[in-house]
Each structure stands twice: as structure tokens, then as C-alpha cells.
Amino acid sequence: MLEIQNIQMVDLHNQYLKIKQEVDAGMAEVITSGAFVNGPPVKAFAKNLASYLDVKHVTPCANGTDALQIALMALGLKPGDEVITVSFTFVATVEVIALLGLKPVFVDLDPNTFNLDVAQLEAAITSHTKCILPVHLYGQAANMEAIMEIAHKHNLYVVEDNAQAIGSDVTFSNGKSFKTGTIGHIGCTSFYPSKNLGCYGDGGALFTNDDELANKIKLVANHGQIKKYTYETIGVNSRLDSLQAVVLNAKLPHLDTYIKARQKAATYYDQALGNHPNIQIPSRATWSSHVFHQYTIKVNGNRDALKIALKERGIPSMVYYPTPLHIGKPYKAYGYKLGDLPITEQLCQQVISLPMHTELEEEQLKYITDNVLELV
Ligand SMILES: *Cc1c(COP(=O)(O)O)cnc(C)c1O
């Protein structure tokens, strides 16, 4: 009963207890050494992550939002350039486009995977289009092979928002496999605590296989400074701190185990909920593994009433995302209106994410699914 009363959307405390010694010792070392910024743990983490992802360059930064902004700055995009993305994402994806004076162009979603619908991509390309920014939503990759093909054909950059899918594998039709975030020109991720690879504060990183882009990324992330007090370009200040790198170095070797624990919970959910006529369980893309940052179902019925009823029974849930960004107040100027992206708009009303983390017990999963089935 105690476990059931304690169901959390994300359980970081119990995960911490398993790596406590390493984290505590590493943090004490950083504090003693005084190397808080760009210390040895940060350099080690960049190397460790590059090797895990099998990518040439990893540049850590302060958070996932910064990673996206730095990526677009490093590509040298100019005000008025168009970036094609989705409206069904965390606001950061669209915010950084707008912030840089670029124009977000929205494409609707594939109704099965809830990722960018590649069938609608080419129609959105204009002479101003410079970049495609797919989001690997909930832990599963957008159709990167199709996106890269279209990008090559039209000479466009691709920046992957990989904040939710780190560790996911994409397989191309020639059988080659890649980690998400390493396929486009630049991949971006977030180490926000609740992400699949999260630290104990803010953190982020950019990945690329392109040496020249890697240099630009490092330049932009560090005030555009090419050597001390010599500035090559306008930059930002965006750093991962050493204390956060300690946590990430402790967690990275467990990332695949964490992913397996999430996939196991997802399989339980699938089996329990998969046959209900009013529930659409997450579909699996043929080209991508799913690392289940979220386990998100689509319900045919009153989603908000379900959320409240679950809460009354001690079951937390979240709605990612309740409002489509293209009709949100800050983005009105781009001229979109209700009805422009029907799948996006429908999902905002019908999706609900159930508790998903590495520490879920079968007893808790049974309690959650029994109640969902009763209430939906
Ligand atoms: C979390 C997230 C971000 C932003 O990351 P922060 O570290 O919070 O800045 C960007 N895009 C997506 C899809 C996210 O889920």
C-alpha cells in the first residue's frame, strides 16, 4: 500500500539512492577543488557522451533551450529565414526560432507517432526555408531518413530537438543505425532533472559530426570569444557546471538500464491498456526504438475529467501539451489560426501522460492501469 500511495510522475530520489556514493563523492571533490566551471568532470562528460552516442563532437551547455538557440546561431541563420518545425512541443523549440528573428513554419503531425508528418514537409518549403527542426517527441524519433532526404534535396540544415529521446536508436533502410541527435547537422538535448538523462539542476548539450560546426558551436556558447578578450561573433554565455557533470557522469553508464526499465513499464501499460476501445496506446515507429521519456495515451472521451479522477485516487498525470503553440499569444504574429493543424489541435485535447520513470513497481502499474480502465 505504501508504494501505491507514493506514485510519482517522476521518481528521482529512489534513483539517486542507487548512485548516491558516487555523486556525493564527486560533488565533494568539485567543491574542494574549486573547479566549478568547465572543470575535469565537464570535459570527461563531453567525452563520455560522445563515445556513447558515437558522435565526433559534444559541447555541453547550460540547458536544452540554449542548445537549440546556439545551434541556430552556429548555422548563421539570418532574420527572416524560415525554420520548419512542429507546434506540438515544449515552447523552447519555437521560442528560440522567434527570439532570433527567424520565422517558425509549422507542419502537422503523423497521427500515429505524433511526430512531424514527413508527407507534409515538402509543401512547407519556400525559397526562405533554411532549416528543418524535428522534435523526437516522448522518446521516439521523427522519420529522420525521410527528413534527411528532403533536406539534402532542398539544401537545408537539420537540427534535431533530442531533449526527449536521448539513447534512442534510428535504423535507416540500408540497415545502418544511429543514435538520435547524431543524424542531422546538429543535435540538441536537455539534462533537465526529469529528462531520461537528467542532472540535479539545468544542463544541455549539442552534438555534431561536422568539425567546422563544432567550432562555431563552441564559439557561440562562449561569448563568441576566439581567444581571451578577442571576439569573433556575437555569442551567449552557456555552460554546464562541474557539479551537474558529476551527476551526468554517474548516470550515463546506467542510461541503457534506465531505458530498459522505462520500456518494461511501457510494455506493462501497453498490455493493460491496449485493448480498450477509447484508448490509443503509443505506436512504435518501424525506424526508431522508443525510450519512453513519456508514456502518452490518446483518450477518446473527457481527458480532463480523467486527469482529475486519477488525481483523486492518488495517481499523478500530465498533459504534454495542452495548448498548440501556433495559436498561442506570443506567436500570433506568424499568422496561424485554429484549424490550421488539425492533428496537433486534436492531440492537445486528447493526450494524457501517465507516470513514467525508472523506479515504477508492478504493483503501482497495476493500480494505475486498473484505475485508468475503470475511469476512461
Ligand atoms: C525539455 C525540452 C526542451 C528544453 O530543455 P531545457 O533544458 O528545459 O531548456 C526543449 N525541447 C523539448 C522537446 C523539451 O522536452
Side-chain angles (χ1 to χ4, degrees):
M1 197 57 207
L2 220 152
E3 285 76 23
I4 284 170
Q5 283 168 353
N6 252 330
I7 297 176
Q8 295 176 53
M9 198 62 199
V10 177
D11 180 352
L12 295 173
H13 184 69
N14 281 307
Q15 191 189 55
Y16 162 64
L17 295 179
K18 295 171 186 166
I19 50 170
K20 183 177 183 323
Q21 272 191 334
E22 192 182 344
V23 169
D24 292 3
M27 286 203 170
E29 207 176 302
V30 168
I31 295 166
T32 306
S33 76
F36 296 107
V37 171
N38 215 10
V42 177
K43 295 188 175 85
F45 175 64
K47 264 199 183 152
N48 295 340
L49 185 60
S51 135
Y52 174 84
L53 294 170
D54 193 18
V55 72
K56 227 165 149 187
H57 306 278
V58 167
T59 308
C61 68
N63 56 68
T65 308
D66 275 8
L68 290 162
Q69 180 178 335
I70 293 164
L72 296 176
M73 289 173 78
L75 293 175
L77 303 191
K78 297 277 159 1
D81 287 349
E82 294 178 3
V83 179
I84 298 178
T85 191
V86 289
S87 172
F88 195 60
T89 177
F90 182 59
V91 68
T93 320
V94 176
E95 182 178 57
V96 297
I97 298 171
L99 207 55
L100 294 172
L102 310 169
K103 184 181 171 202
V105 172
F106 298 108
V107 166
D108 211 0
L109 309 170
D110 164 32
N112 295 311
T113 62
F114 308 168
N115 272 321
L116 186 149
D117 183 1
V118 293
Q120 298 183 43
L121 185 50
E122 272 196 292
I125 296 173
T126 73
S127 58
H128 300 289
T129 308
K130 289 285 153 56
C131 182
I132 307 169
L133 206 176
V135 178
H136 303 319
L137 198 72
Y138 302 150
Q140 179 170 245
N143 187 345
M144 284 306 292
E145 184 166 14
I147 290 170
M148 292 314 290
E149 249 174 55
I150 293 169
H152 285 141
K153 186 170 149 198
H154 296 271
N155 200 22
L156 305 174
Y157 289 118
V158 175
V159 172
E160 296 173 71
D161 184 339
N162 195 34
Q164 301 190 4
I166 195 157
S168 174
D169 295 297
V170 176
T171 307
F172 277 26
S173 48
N174 63 7
K176 279 199 178 165
S177 257
F178 309 90
K179 292 284 184 200
T180 47
T182 69
I183 303 161
H185 298 83
I186 303 176
C188 298
T189 203
S190 162
F191 305 121
Y192 186 77
S194 63
K195 306 284 174 166
N196 285 22
L197 180 62
C199 56
Y200 295 162
D202 277 308
L206 299 98
F207 332 132
T208 186
N209 282 308
D210 183 312
D211 297 342
E212 203 176 313
L213 277 178
N215 286 335
K216 283 199 183 137
I217 287 166
K218 287 185 171 66
L219 204 62
V220 170
N222 183 32
H223 299 292
Q225 181 172 271
I226 197 151
K227 62 177 203 239
K228 197 91 178 152
Y229 302 119
T230 306
Y231 308 100
E232 174 78 13
T233 180
I234 295 171
V236 298
N237 169 26
S238 190
R239 307 185 273 240
L240 179 73
D241 72 65
S242 303
L243 291 171
Q244 301 309 333
V246 165
V247 179
L248 294 166
N249 280 324
K251 281 193 180 187
L252 182 59
H254 303 289
L255 180 57
D256 287 340
T257 311
Y258 293 159
I259 289 171
K260 285 199 184 89
R262 288 172 177 274
Q263 288 169 335
K264 191 173 164 215
T267 303
Y268 188 100
Y269 277 133
D270 280 352
Q271 284 167 357
L273 304 176
N275 292 321
H276 195 289
N278 289 336
I279 298 176
Q280 179 182 324
I281 59 168
S283 78
R284 310 292 203 276
T286 52
W287 57 81
S288 173
S289 63
H290 202 319
V291 297
F292 288 99
H293 174 57
Q294 299 298 341
Y295 186 90
T296 304
I297 57 174
K298 182 176 152 197
V299 293
N300 189 6
N302 191 334
R303 187 265 322 268
D304 294 332
L306 171 65
K307 189 173 191 312
I308 292 165
L310 285 171
K311 190 169 177 226
E312 280 165 0
R313 297 178 185 201
I315 303 169
S317 63
M318 295 290 279
V319 172
Y320 302 112
Y321 295 93
T323 45
L325 295 170
H326 66 281
I327 50 167
K329 189 176 163 199
Y331 305 105
K332 282 246 165 74
Y334 300 107
Y336 289 87
K337 57 186 189 316
L338 200 65
D340 285 344
L341 303 171
I343 305 287
T344 298
E345 291 159 18
Q346 185 194 32
L347 289 177
C348 287
Q349 297 188 1
Q350 295 195 320
V351 293
I352 183 166
S353 301
L354 300 174
M356 176 51 82
H357 53 79
T358 57
E359 314 298 315
L360 278 166
E361 308 276 348
E362 192 155 320
E363 202 187 355
Q364 297 177 319
L365 289 163
K366 181 171 178 353
Y367 181 74
I368 297 165
T369 52
D370 284 352
N371 279 288
V372 169
L373 290 171
E374 206 180 299
L375 292 166
V376 77

